[in-house]
Amino acid sequence: QDDFECPICLENFVDPRSLPCLHTFCQQCIADLVDASQTTRAAHPSSPSPSSASSIVTCPQCSKVHVVPPGGAAAFQKNFVVSSLMAKIQLLAQLEKGAETPETIREIVDDIQAVSHNSEGSDGVTASP
């Protein structure tokens, strides 16, 4: 279960995004890190940074500093593998409860397939297992 928890908020991932160092966090958690970084840089303008005009974020797991792409946290690569696995785990949990109707199960399966389909890169290679 820990593999599906964001190391920042300690909750299940919500819209998981990967930093260039390949550590994964919730999109909102990354956005909060970017905001905190901007606040720190504003308070300490003499701090070294990759570019004074760009936002940066420091990975809380490995401490690597990354430039935030245009578009902010949402522009970091979505982790489709984690998204797909999370959807499958949610489906299994709901099936175990027996609370789902066949229509709802079909909707969840369609969502999983959509996530899996979106995980194909431009080279056609699927990123999910």
Side-chain angles (χ1 to χ4, degrees):
Q1 189 72 9
D2 289 345
D3 292 336
F4 302 105
E5 284 182 1
C6 173
I8 296 173
C9 66
L10 304 178
E11 299 289 332
N12 286 338
F13 284 109
V14 175
D15 196 8
R17 302 289 170 147
S18 294
L19 296 177
C21 59
L22 301 181
H23 289 114
T24 300
F25 309 96
C26 299
Q27 178 184 325
Q28 186 58 53
C29 291
I30 294 173
D32 293 344
L33 285 175
V34 171
D35 290 344
S37 175
Q38 288 175 335
T39 301
T40 301
R41 287 176 65 195
H44 305 288
S46 62
S47 297
S49 64
S51 167
S52 60
S54 62
S55 295
I56 60 168
V57 63
T58 302
C59 176
Q61 289 190 294
C62 68
S63 300
K64 289 188 180 175
V65 177
H66 306 289
V67 174
V68 178
F76 282 111
Q77 179 65 46
K78 184 174 181 96
N79 189 324
F80 290 105
V81 172
V82 171
S83 293
S84 179
L85 290 173
M86 292 283 299
K88 289 173 184 176
I89 288 170
Q90 289 171 351
L91 174 61
L92 289 173
Q94 303 223 351
L95 288 173
E96 286 177 0
K97 287 185 207 174
E100 296 301 321
T101 64
E103 294 80 22
T104 306
I105 292 171
R106 180 80 247 155
E107 289 173 12
I108 295 170
V109 169
D110 288 345
D111 289 346
I112 292 170
Q113 290 173 339
V115 167
S116 295
H117 177 69
N118 287 335
S119 67
E120 290 185 6
S122 58
D123 59 0
V125 176
T126 303
S128 61

